[in-house]
Amino acid sequence: MNRQEILNKFKEKGLRVTPQRLTLFMKLAEMKGHIKAEDLYNALKEEIPSISISTVYRTLKEFESKGFIYSLPSSTDYGLTVFDTNLEPHHHFICLRCEKIYDVPEEYVEIKVKNIQGSIQYETVIMKGLCESCKNKKKKVS
Ligand SMILES: [Zn+2]
Ligand SMILES: [Zn+2]
């Protein structure tokens, strides 16, 4: 996504363009995938020395409210939020041991949603357990 495309996206959603928001969004687009506020903060520290982790987090929540990304709970770092930049419909498998988040194709899971009064922006099923490589490691030990 180039600068102009990002500017248009912001404008379309009524988000005021600030240099900081722009830099954050560009970095996010460059990193892709599942990102923690901490990861983004670390990636930006050099570029914007004055930035704080709470600003990064606040901006990510802003981006989520505009539908640019969405948040997932992380597996073991309670209270830490992971932001997903991939807006294509898909589900998630989170490994409780290595904390890796795997994307699960939409067609692997069937969901039936009932009785939701509001409008749904995203739907994702979160499964937790041991991923294949952690499962295999466990076997070797015992
Ligand atoms: Zn694992
Ligand atoms: Zn994902």
Side-chain angles (χ1 to χ4, degrees):
M1 205 178 283
N2 66 36
R3 201 186 145 86
Q4 194 53 49
E5 282 170 332
I6 297 171
L7 293 179
N8 291 342
K9 214 171 147 81
F10 277 29
K11 202 175 161 193
E12 191 186 301
K13 297 284 181 175
L15 191 63
R16 203 163 56 87
V17 178
T18 65
Q20 194 164 281
R21 274 194 191 134
L22 199 62
T23 310
L24 239 111
F25 194 89
M26 274 162 33
K27 185 57 84 181
L28 201 61
E30 183 191 308
M31 288 168 78
K32 282 198 190 103
H34 308 118
I35 298 158
K36 286 178 189 162
E38 207 185 347
D39 301 333
L40 188 60
Y41 169 72
N42 287 331
L44 283 167
K45 256 193 316 205
E46 262 176 48
E47 232 168 301
I48 318 175
S50 61
I51 204 161
S52 71
I53 183 104
S54 61
T55 304
V56 171
Y57 189 73
R58 208 178 50 235
T59 311
L60 285 169
K61 293 303 268 184
E62 249 167 28
F63 288 165
E64 181 177 30
S65 76
K66 298 296 180 188
F68 299 161
I69 52 173
Y70 65 95
S71 59
L72 299 168
S74 92
S75 62
T76 50
D77 292 328
Y78 294 101
L80 267 189
T81 306
V82 177
F83 293 89
D84 202 342
T85 59
N86 177 7
L87 300 180
E88 295 299 315
H90 66 285
H91 304 292
H92 293 94
F93 181 88
I94 303 178
C95 180
L96 293 168
R97 179 164 296 183
C98 67
E99 297 180 36
K100 218 176 148 186
I101 301 174
Y102 295 86
D103 282 338
V104 176
E106 193 194 11
E107 62 269 23
Y108 286 16
V109 181
E110 212 177 290
I111 26 176
K112 277 196 190 117
V113 180
K114 275 192 207 166
N115 303 326
I116 303 290
Q117 304 296 326
S119 67
I120 296 173
Q121 215 166 332
Y122 316 105
E123 47 183 40
T124 187
V125 171
I126 296 176
M127 290 154 276
K128 292 187 179 186
L130 284 183
C131 73
E132 206 183 352
S133 81
C134 289
K135 206 176 81 187
N136 292 337
K137 260 182 236 158
K138 205 184 167 189
K139 267 185 206 150
K140 267 176 229 157
V141 175
S142 56

